[in-house]
Every structure is written in structure tokens, then in C-alpha cells.
Amino acid sequence: MESLLVDHERRIYMETHAGFTASYDFATVKANANALAGHMGTPSLAIGEEEVGSVAAFEKYLSLVRMATRKFRPGDVWYDPRTPPAARHALESARATRRAVRLHYGNPRTGVDRLAVQDVVGYVGYAAWYLPHPILLTDRQLHIGPRIVELEVVRVVDVAGLIATYEHPTYRLPQLSTVGACDPENPERLVLAADGREVLRCSSRAQATRWSKFFRGEIHQPPRQG
């Protein structure tokens, strides 16, 4: 680490390395540090409420991460301790069985689906860099992919079986509707809305229908836009 900036207004740490910058919110640092302290039997490194947002707290977190990387065995994956156990089980089961999944991301408090489009279908793997964390692979043979934001997973669907292996207790898909886009040059163009808020513009009713099916999880390949 080259430098550390503490932004108390946004409640985040910004850690600068050669070539990249990583950010961590105060709550995540505290939750993971305290879980790691318990996991490794080092309660003295737990972060107290009065330490939240301090440089000392972040240094404790880094010490715990370094200790964990030496203790974890190949294949071990660390999930944010605030991840619902059922969500973790669904992701770990998919990783163990190497079955493709569709991830629905949303609001972890309300369970409302946010209609994510990118990086939502694939195989659960893990990256061993830093704390070993879950990632999404487009192919079983790959070893690199985007991180799975486990705290925001509100639904996990087994692609082959079309079965939800996890669903947030109050999961809700926004109400999807279509209205004319009022485009004189293309009268067929429609606006797809979710709970009355515009999501995207579709070139035809057929395309709007395909997008609706994608968001509902009836198909897993997002339609081409155009």
C-alpha cells in the first residue's frame, strides 16, 4: 500500500497501490475484521465501535487479512459475514456442483430486484487474491471473472433446472410495463419501465417482451439492444 485516505463524509477508506485504488466502507471493514478475529481466535484485533473510521482500525483489518491468507486452505472462500446463510449455501452449492446460475442483484434490505444485466449468468468460482472471494465465470474452465457482490444477491436460479435455490425473504421483481416512446421516426419504439421508472428503450414490442422475460428470469441471455 502506497497511501491511505480516510473519507469520513462518505465513510470509506481509499487504499492506493501502484496502478490501482481500492475502496472499503467503514461497515464492511468492521464486519469482516471482527468475523476474521473470531475465526482465527484473535479477539484483541477486533474493531470496537469507537475505532470505526480510524487508521488503526484499518491496520487491524489488514493484519487480519494477512493472517487469514496464510491460514486458509486452497479452495476456502471467505464470504462477507453479513451474507444470509441461505444465499451463501446456494452459491457454495453451485460452486461445488459446477452448475450454471443466474444471479439477481437487488436491495439487500427490501429484496427488490434491481434488474442487473451484466455479469449475472455463469459458474461460481473463487479468486484467491487478498481474501479468497466468490467470482462469476463464463466458462467452467476459466479462472478469472468479476467478483460476486454477495451482499446484494437477492435471488439465485439454477439455470438448467430453472429452480430458485435462494430467494430473499421479501424478494420482489418491480412491476414491468411498456409505453410508447413518442418517437416520430420510429413509431414502434417503446419504453420499458419498472415501477413506473424508465429502464430502457426497445425498438419493438417483441424486443420489449424479450427484455421482460429476461428480467423475470424466463430466459437468461439478455436481448440485443437496438
Side-chain angles (χ1 to χ4, degrees):
M1 179 175 64
E2 293 183 353
S3 65
L4 177 69
L5 172 67
V6 184
D7 187 331
H8 289 279
E9 184 176 350
R10 293 191 292 165
R11 297 183 64 80
I12 61 172
Y13 296 100
M14 297 187 67
E15 184 186 24
T16 301
H17 297 262
F20 74 96
T21 299
S23 62
Y24 311 83
D25 66 86
F26 291 175
T28 296
V29 167
K30 179 187 176 186
N32 281 279
N34 290 354
L36 284 167
H39 181 71
M40 290 180 291
T42 54
S44 62
L45 290 177
I47 296 173
E49 192 60 39
E50 71 284 355
E51 295 179 282
V52 172
S54 67
V55 173
F58 193 74
E59 289 175 346
K60 281 185 175 182
Y61 169 71
L62 291 181
S63 294
L64 286 160
V65 169
R66 286 192 289 267
M67 292 170 61
T69 56
R70 292 193 295 268
K71 186 171 182 179
F72 285 165
R73 298 167 299 178
D76 284 349
V77 177
W78 179 261
Y79 284 80
D80 187 295
R82 297 166 294 176
T83 304
R88 175 175 176 164
H89 177 73
L91 293 170
E92 281 296 277
S93 294
R95 184 168 75 95
T97 58
R98 306 184 74 189
R99 292 177 67 86
V101 293
R102 163 78 179 279
L103 305 178
H104 291 255
Y105 287 111
N107 186 314
R109 183 177 58 83
T110 65
V112 176
D113 196 312
R114 65 175 170 85
L115 309 180
V117 174
Q118 295 183 327
D119 302 326
V120 294
V121 178
Y123 301 87
V124 180
Y126 77 99
W129 181 80
Y130 221 40
L131 278 178
H133 53 268
I135 59 176
L136 193 68
L137 309 173
T138 56
D139 186 277
R140 289 189 184 98
Q141 308 306 317
L142 295 178
H143 301 285
I144 298 175
R147 178 165 190 163
I148 293 174
V149 187
E150 62 263 39
L151 284 182
E152 296 181 14
V153 173
V154 293
R155 192 169 189 248
V156 180
V157 176
D158 182 284
V159 169
L162 291 177
I163 298 172
T165 56
Y166 167 72
E167 200 165 270
H168 188 285
T170 56
Y171 174 77
R172 182 177 73 82
L173 184 74
Q175 182 66 42
L176 301 173
S177 59
T178 54
V179 295
C182 300
D183 184 349
E185 296 183 4
N186 187 353
E188 296 291 316
R189 188 174 293 276
L190 295 171
V191 170
L192 181 64
D195 288 344
R197 176 181 58 84
E198 181 176 328
V199 175
L200 50 83
R201 298 199 166 208
C202 304
S203 60
S204 65
R205 184 164 298 279
Q207 188 186 56
T209 298
R210 289 194 295 273
W211 273 111
S212 296
K213 286 184 176 181
F214 172 77
F215 290 134
R216 289 197 298 265
E218 297 171 13
I219 60 175
H220 300 298
Q221 184 65 35
R224 291 183 179 179
Q225 289 183 287

